[in-house]
Amino acid sequence: MIAERLARVRERVAVAARAADRDPAEVRLLLATKTQPVELVLDALAADARARADDPTLSAVLIGENRVQELVAKGPSLAGLTALHLIGPLQSNKVNAALRWASCIESLESLDLAERLSARASGPLDVYVQVNVSGEDTKHGVVPDEAVALAGAVAALPNLRVAGLMTVGARSEDPTVVRSGYALLRDLRDEIVASGTQTATELSMGMSGDLELAIAEGATLVRVGSAVFGARAT
Ligand SMILES: *Cc1c(COP(=O)(O)O)cnc(C)c1O
């Protein structure tokens, strides 16, 4: 069941990449596992390992948790199997707990948080600057106008490596609206790289409902939850 859903998502990624004249291997898959029991996450990782045995061109799925509490709960079972990313907001009092299990923080949205991470991280930590491209006030992330300056300031801190940008796309039925938000994230990424932060190549964008649009605009990492795990209870 989960293997079939995962295969279907892999196929969607490959079709979308080829349609955009891109190599499917440029687009990694992160499983967004919020609210999912760790047993199901382990099933997904086992299915992924089998798929990769059949097709060595595939790269391993990553795991993304939204809440530090869930990261801490599932971390011991998942550590060492694949990289764990934090993809939800991080409060300053949870920095140590997040650093214990996550190898990447995709939800960096302030210099204050970056300074705390920089002070506590024991080695180079990958971070993505989260940008609110849609302007919807329920969404996290810096406003687009602040992204380049924040990325530059974060890149200057010890122990942090700005790996790219992350966004949650617009909640819109209109694909042109969603796509223009993703194009904006790509433009910001290009500006950040051109201004000297050459590590910032990744674009984490696209979810179950719109990963094709994100891949068309250059996503290098898509974050998929419900298309693999089914609808969430909450
Ligand atoms: C839940 C979530 C996803 C995945 O969403 P689906 O629509 O279930 O694929 C991706 N990114 C973030 C930040 C999320 O919270």
Side-chain angles (χ1 to χ4, degrees), residues 100-189:
R100 173 82 178 79
W101 299 110
S103 62
C104 176
I105 309 294
E106 291 197 24
S107 43
L108 188 67
E109 54 178 344
S110 76
L111 187 57
D112 179 63
L113 177 61
E115 284 167 345
R116 287 170 199 269
L117 288 166
S118 172
R120 312 255 183 97
S122 53
L125 174 72
D126 276 5
V127 296
Y128 290 52
V129 172
Q130 184 172 354
V131 184
N132 182 355
V133 294
S134 69
E136 292 165 21
D137 54 10
T138 52
K139 296 225 156 86
H140 286 274
V142 292
V143 300
D145 279 353
E146 292 172 7
V148 175
L150 179 58
V154 173
L157 295 172
N159 291 333
L160 298 188
R161 180 180 170 279
V162 182
L165 301 179
M166 183 273 248
T167 197
V168 176
R171 188 203 295 265
S172 169
E173 298 295 312
D174 182 352
T176 59
V177 171
V178 178
R179 267 189 84 147
S180 70
Y182 291 149
L184 173 59
L185 198 74
R186 187 191 59 230
D187 289 345
L188 292 169
R189 189 269 321 261

Side-chain angles (χ1 to χ4, degrees), residues 32 34 66 87 166 168 207-208 223-226 232:
K34 57 177 174 275
N66 287 69
I87 60 173
M166 183 273 248
V168 176
M207 316 199 300
S208 295
R223 309 180 309 271
V224 173
S226 51
R232 284 179 292 276

